[in-house]
Amino acid sequence: MYMINNKNLSGNKMILLNYVRINELVSRTDICNNTLLSKPTVSRITDELVKNNLLIEVADSYVTNANIGRKPILLKINPKAFYCVGIDIERTSIKGAVLDINRNIITRKEESIKYIKDDNEFMKDVKNVIEKLVIQSKINKQLILGIGISVPCTVDYNTGKLIDYSLNSIPKEIHLKKYLEDKLSIPVYIDNNANIRVLGEYWYGFGRGYKNIIYIMCNHGVGSGIIVEGNILRGKNSVAGEIGHQKIDKNGRTCTCGKKGCLEAYCGTEAICMNVKDELSKGMSSEIRDYICEDYRKITFELINKCASNKDNLCSNILDKAEQTLGIGIANLINILNPEIIICSGEFFKYREDVMERVKEHTKEQLFNLMGDDTRFAYRKDEDILSGVSPAALVFKNTFD
Ligand SMILES: [Zn+2]
C-alpha cells in the first residue's frame, strides 16, 4: 500500500497541509483562495491526502440543514497523521515526550544520566529514550516528522554538534545530530535550552502573540533565549544571548569565564554562594554561621535565602545587591532590543517573596526614557510544564515555517 510518510511530504503537499493545520477547519475553496495553488492541484492533492487518511472530511455543521443541494464538506488534519518527539537533555536526566500534530502529548518518559561514562554511552542513552518513547506511544515510526532536542550547552545549530557539553565536568564536542539521524533515519533538530525555552514560550506560553521576547534563565549561570521579529537570535557562531557575561563593573568580581565584573558574577546562584563565603572569610557575622559550623561547603543558595528571610544583614544585603544588578542587566537588554515581553525563570526567583517584582522595579529605574513602561514581565515558575513540548516546537518550526 502506498503511504504518505515523513519522507514524501514536501512542495505543494506541504503547503496545503500546513494551511489546513493552521486554519483548523477549511473548505477546498478556502485553500484555493488563500494559497497560490490552482483548483485542479488542490483537488488532486486533497483527494490523495484524504485517501491516505492525513486529512479528514467533515460536514459543515452550520449549513448541513440548509436546503442548498450538496452539503459543504470541510477538511481538517487527522491528529494521528503525524507525530513529533521532543527531548529535554538536562545535566542529570533526559526527559522526552511524543506529541501529535495538534500538540497533544501522547506519552512521556524520563531517565537518569547521572552516571554516564563517555560520549558514546551518552548518545546511546538519548537514542534509547527516543526508541522507548516510540514503542510506548505505539505509533508508526514512519509518521514521525522529526525529533527536537534541547541541550544545556552551546550548539552549532547548522550541524547539530554540541560544542561544550559537560561530561563528568569536562567540556566535550559531541556529534549528536549525525549519530541519531544515522541510527534512526528521522530528521533531528538540536538547540540550546535557552533558545528552546523561548521558542516554547513563543508558541505555547507567555510569549504567544508577541514577536520580540527575551527569556532569562537565572540559575548557577545566567543565560537567555531571544526572539526578534519572530525568529531566534543566534548570531554568527550560534552563541548570541550570553547575557550573563555582559559587563557590569570592569574591576568587579571574577566570573566563571575568567573575566571580571560579568553579570553572572553577581547574580548566578553559585557566585552568590561564593560572595557569602568571601564575606564570612573576612570575619563578617551572619546567622548562616549557625547552620554551617564553619564548613563553607554547606553554604547553599536556598540557605542564604532562608537567612535573608530571617532578616540576616549579610545575606539580605548580598541578595538585594544581586537583584539590583540583575535589574541593570535586564535594563541593558531592553534598551538595546526593545522587547515586548521579558520572561524570567530559575532558582534565583524561587525562595524569597516578590523577587520578580523587585527586579522589575530595579529594571525600570535604569530604562532609557523612550522605552516607556510598556515592556511586560512574566515569571515562569514551573518550567517542567513545557518540558518535551518546547523542543517539539523546533520540529514544527523546521517542518512548516
Ligand atoms: Zn563572565
Side-chain angles (χ1 to χ4, degrees), residues 48 72 75 138 147 184 191 206 370 374 396 399-400:
E48 189 187 346
L75 298 159
K138 300 188 176 80
I147 301 163
L184 301 167
D191 211 337
F206 295 124
L370 289 178
D374 58 350
F396 285 117
T399 312
F400 295 109

Side-chain angles (χ1 to χ4, degrees), residues 244-247 255-265:
H245 302 286
Q246 61 173 299
K247 295 294 165 265
C255 178
T256 47
C257 71
K259 308 275 165 63
K260 279 185 184 294
C262 298
L263 180 71
E264 190 169 301

Side-chain angles (χ1 to χ4, degrees), residues 17-24 77 101 103 203 396 400:
L17 201 61
N18 200 23
Y19 180 79
V20 183
R21 184 183 72 91
I22 292 167
N23 295 285
E24 287 174 12
I77 292 251
I101 204 159
R103 303 187 290 241
W203 280 59
F396 285 117
F400 295 109

